[in-house]
Amino acid sequence: MRQLGAALYKEWLLQSRALAQLLAVLVFGATALLLFSFAVGPNYELLRAVAPGFLWLALLLSSTLTLAESFQAEMEHRALEGQLLLPASPWALYYAKALANWLQLTLLGVALVPLMVALYDARLSRPLALLGVIALGSAGLSAPGTLYAVMTHQARSRQTLLPLLLFPLVVPVLIAAVKATSLLMLGDPMEQIGSWALLLATFDAIHWSLCGLLFGRVVEE
Amino acid sequence: MAPSVLAGRPSGPGAGYALLAFGAVLLAVGSYIGLFVAPSESFMGDVYRIMYVHVPTAWNALLAFTFGFGSAVAFLLKGDFKWDARHEAAVEMGVVLAGLLCCQGAIWARPTWGVWWDWDPRLTTTAVMFFAFIGILALRRFVEDPVKRATWSAVATIIAYVDVPIVYFSVRWWNSLHQMQSSPETVSAPFLIPLRTNAFGILFLMAGLITLRTRIARLRLSQEMAPPLPEAAR
Amino acid sequence: MSTSGVLSGGWEFVTAAYVLSLVVLSTYSLSVVWRYRVELRRAERELRGPEESA
């Protein structure tokens, strides 16, 4: 656990220095939301219906930027090998990275909500529940995303390879998160949100354990 | 310390070719019966005959990916590169069959439902699997170190395969508000013989193809991992 | 569709499905066989190579 704390502290230091990068990703996500709205046009009913979908698409696209950069610091200074030579388990490294990515994505999602409300005339009736859905969905993106970020960072053509690997995998996250968000924003007469949240939680539980388990094999020499 | 990937006599090429030929024959026979001998179906007319290739393709695509998953696990547990070769072969075969499956599904959907794609959970999951495993083939192509390539693609296959049931259930729940369309698997065939014949036909064909494709992978691996020749031998 | 509720015709779809399956499977089979022979020839050349120069 001490190792996890140390790794997390390292992540915190990195984030503070990479504030500019965070802002850039936020601007990217906001631009995406704006551009998507042009695909629909000023049809308010339609915009309200597609708002959840576009929010999550914007978040998904932004995640490729976040994840691709997440190992940048380690790779540039060959710090990854250094960390692994220390008697630190790779699990601490993985979970710290995944938690950092998760936090970034959740913050990004939350930051995009006001824009969505403004552009898409979305109704925001249950903000805490929405925060929960964003948190669950971001967790689903960051667990496998962090694992694939390590693999693809060293490979050629990493910019295309990361989304190519990640997107099919996170289809359940996209489906469940969009469904849950739209139930929260457009009404949930049959109380279905529980089952979608459960699907997200199940996906998260499976991948946070499986990817953590396999991370050791991915970084070993 | 490169183990000889060809050690432990693999089944000779003859076995691969024989399986291939036998599978092709079965497939020809089964298709002939399915097309010309089997009677028309009560509701679908003659269009149901697509099922005689579509369902066997579906079973074998899943089988190929399952074998790929098993090979990936075996490689991670044992470190023997013959499992990596089998893994590569199985995933490639699975991708071909999954792609074919989606096209067959579209050809089925058009005359029966009027649309090319009806978001049937099974077919949609197949499309997701197709893209997921193509990504894994791309990963293999872009990683040059054979050890990393084998380990990383094995990890990716395990994650992708574990994801398949989750994808299936999420699509099913997502689609459940709409009328459940019947896919070819739920149509009862007046004749089961062509179905079983074609299923075994594609099975043997696939076994032959995976055998040969594994040999290709093993030959390439032994070249990649062969120690460099000492100067005296040059 | 006919009023009896049974689909009539549609043979062009059946043909399309079977022809597509045939084309895809045979193309892939030929590609595997061809690649296999290429690899075999290359491996044999390499085995003969160091021996001939020895």
Side-chain angles (χ1 to χ4, degrees), chain B residues 12-13 17 20 27 31 34-36 41-50 52-53 57 89 92-93 96-97 100 103-104 107 110-112 116 198 202 205 209 212-213 215-216 219-220 223 229 233-234, chain C residues 1 4-26 28-44 46-47 49-54:
Chain B
Y17 289 128
L20 207 62
L27 202 53
S31 302
L35 281 172
F36 304 117
E41 204 256 359
S42 40
F43 296 113
M44 293 266 117
D46 288 311
V47 173
Y48 91 100
R49 294 172 199 276
I50 294 178
Y52 287 134
V53 279
T57 309
E92 196 180 274
M93 184 82 244
V96 168
L97 288 177
L100 178 61
C103 297
Q104 290 169 342
I107 297 177
R110 183 66 176 164
T112 46
W116 288 108
N198 275 354
I202 299 188
L205 192 72
L209 286 170
L212 290 172
R213 184 64 183 79
R215 297 206 99 226
I216 297 175
L219 285 167
R220 286 186 188 155
Q223 184 208 18
L229 293 172
R234 301 231 173 121
Chain C
M1 296 199 200
S4 65
V6 180
L7 277 178
S8 55
W11 273 102
E12 63 267 28
F13 291 97
V14 179
T15 319
Y18 278 76
V19 164
L20 177 70
S21 307
L22 177 72
V23 164
V24 167
L25 289 174
S26 42
Y28 182 65
S29 304
L30 286 171
S31 128
V32 169
V33 169
W34 186 73
R35 280 183 283 163
Y36 178 59
R37 291 162 93 102
V38 164
E39 282 300 314
L40 265 183
R41 263 180 270 139
R42 184 197 49 75
E44 277 163 20
E46 279 190 11
L47 277 175
E51 288 163 13
E52 278 167 354
S53 56

Side-chain angles (χ1 to χ4, degrees), chain B residues 54-105:
Chain B
H54 187 69
V55 175
T57 309
W59 290 343
N60 284 290
L62 191 60
L63 198 60
F65 286 135
T66 306
F67 181 62
F69 171 74
S71 305
V73 172
F75 173 75
L76 286 183
L77 289 177
K78 298 194 181 159
D80 189 340
F81 275 80
K82 72 170 188 263
W83 287 110
D84 176 57
R86 287 176 186 152
H87 170 224
E88 180 178 308
V91 170
E92 196 180 274
M93 184 82 244
V95 163
V96 168
L97 288 177
L100 178 61
L101 199 64
C102 291
C103 297
Q104 290 169 342

